[in-house]
């Protein structure tokens, strides 16, 4: 089916778009020239579908995405700020991971997203919004030197975070347990006990429950958060405002921070 559609497109354009071989396919010179137009066509088609299908009563529709780890404690502040700034807008929100959200931004499925690992692509505009601190907590170890690998949950929250973790704590990458989301790490801690890195606000809430405490001597790690949108939307007022409110929501200071 794909080959047939590509062949039909090549006949319509009167040019070969791909060189095919045993190793796969590469773009021809004509294909490379057509590629940005193909992306624009895909974006335009997605925007056309949205214009027809989305609520006619809304002055504006914004489709927003964010990493699951950022939903607790921040989503409500971001949405409250957006609702005050754009009371007539229709808002759609989903949680996802960096790669899929960047694909959706480039295709026009999402308008703005908060990501940990942005894709490098000519159609994507990315801004650094914040560096979120993460702290080590435990119900077994009071000091870093007391942390045992068998009870440690390796924080595989993003490629950059894991690299920073392994550089700061060599040897801990051998831990038998690992987690790709902070809510899973929290659930594992509550179910099994042990030691893990959590976002500062989440760590503080867990400590307040009385069972866990911060691990003395453990380095504070950080996760960089990026705001991303399609390159063509980077100067649009609504998208700029959404990115600005995202940055303010990242400070965790509550609703007052985004007024």
């Amino acid at each position: 089916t794909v080959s047939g559609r590509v062949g039909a497109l090549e006949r319509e354009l009167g040019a070969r778009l791909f060189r095919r071989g045993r190793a796969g396919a590469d773009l021809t010179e004509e294909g490379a020239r057509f590629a940005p137009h193909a992306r624009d066509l895909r974006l335009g088609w997605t925007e056309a579908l949205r214009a027809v299908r989305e609520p006619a009563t809304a002055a504006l529709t914004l489709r927003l995405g964010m990493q699951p780890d950022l939903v607790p404690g921040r989503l409500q502040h971001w949405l409250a700020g957006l609702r005050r700034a754009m009371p007539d807008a229709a808002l759609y929100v989903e949680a996802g991971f960096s790669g899929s959200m960047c694909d959706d931004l480039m295709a026009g499925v999402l308008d703005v997203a908060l990501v940990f690992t942005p894709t490098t692509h000519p159609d994507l505009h990315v801004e650094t919004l914040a560096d979120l601190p993460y702290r080590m907590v435990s119900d077994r170890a009071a000091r870093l030197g007391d942390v045992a690998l068998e009870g440690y949950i390796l924080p595989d929250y993003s490629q950059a975070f894991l690299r920073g973790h392994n550089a700061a704590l060599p040897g801990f990458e051998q831990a038998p347990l690992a987690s790709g989301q902070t809510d899973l790490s929290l659930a594992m801690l509550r179910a099994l006990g042990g030691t893990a890195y959590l976002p500062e606000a989440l760590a503080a809430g867990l400590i307040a429950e009385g069972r866990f405490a911060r691990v003395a001597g453990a380095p504070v790690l950080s996760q960089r958060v990026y705001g991303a949108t399609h390159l063509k939307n980077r100067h649009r007022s609504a998208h700029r405002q959404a990115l600005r409110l995202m940055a303010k929501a990242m400070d965790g200071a509550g609703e007052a921070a985004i007024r």
Side-chain angles (χ1 to χ4, degrees):
T1 301
V2 173
S3 296
R5 290 181 178 178
V6 169
L9 180 59
E10 289 178 330
R11 288 192 295 274
E12 181 73 17
L13 293 172
R16 288 187 63 192
L17 301 178
F18 296 95
R19 298 184 193 91
R20 300 167 182 84
R22 292 182 179 179
D26 296 314
L27 287 175
T28 62
E29 182 179 344
E30 293 81 5
R33 291 200 298 267
F34 181 69
H37 299 286
R39 296 196 300 269
D40 287 345
L41 289 168
R42 183 178 66 167
L43 178 65
W45 178 246
T46 303
E47 290 178 340
L49 289 176
R50 288 177 54 180
V52 171
R53 295 174 178 174
E54 290 176 349
T57 55
L60 169 73
T61 298
L62 277 179
R63 299 176 70 87
L64 312 169
M66 64 191 309
Q67 295 272 162
D69 282 4
L70 298 175
V71 173
R74 290 182 174 82
L75 176 62
Q76 66 268 34
H77 302 315
W78 182 27
L79 292 182
L82 283 169
R83 179 55 66 210
R84 284 195 295 269
M86 297 176 249
D88 297 326
L91 302 177
Y92 167 86
V93 186
E94 67 177 45
F97 293 97
S98 298
S100 59
M101 287 194 293
C102 287
D103 288 344
D104 286 346
L105 288 169
M106 290 184 286
V109 177
L110 288 177
D111 294 304
V112 181
L114 281 173
V115 300
F116 286 166
T117 309
T119 301
T120 301
H121 194 278
D123 289 345
L124 201 61
H125 172 74
V126 178
E127 301 179 9
T128 299
L129 298 184
D131 286 296
L132 300 182
Y134 285 61
R135 295 189 179 273
M136 185 187 289
V137 296
S138 180
D139 64 350
R140 299 181 185 178
R143 299 183 302 275
L144 182 61
D146 299 330
V147 176
L149 281 183
E150 59 266 22
Y152 186 70
I153 302 171
L154 185 68
D156 192 3
Y157 302 143
S158 72
Q159 295 176 359
F161 189 91
L162 187 59
R163 284 196 301 269
H165 169 274
N166 292 346
L169 298 165
F172 279 73
E173 67 270 26
Q174 304 299 323
L177 293 175
S179 170
Q181 295 182 36
T182 54
D183 59 344
L184 294 178
S185 294
L186 180 61
M188 292 166 72
L189 284 174
R190 285 179 168 150
L192 305 174
T195 306
Y197 269 95
L198 296 175
E200 190 167 49
L202 198 58
L206 189 62
I207 292 168
E209 295 176 8
R211 176 181 165 190
F212 290 82
R214 289 181 180 174
V215 178
V220 178
L221 303 181
S222 65
Q223 171 64 63
R224 182 154 293 181
V225 182
Y226 301 88
T229 187
H230 194 286
L231 188 68
K232 291 188 174 182
N233 294 329
R234 69 191 188 280
H235 296 311
R236 291 185 177 178
S237 175
H239 296 70
R240 293 298 324 150
Q241 199 161 34
L243 287 169
R244 180 181 63 82
L245 292 170
M246 280 179 173
K248 291 188 175 181
M250 285 300 98
D251 66 12
E255 285 195 304
I258 54 174
R259 289 175 182 169

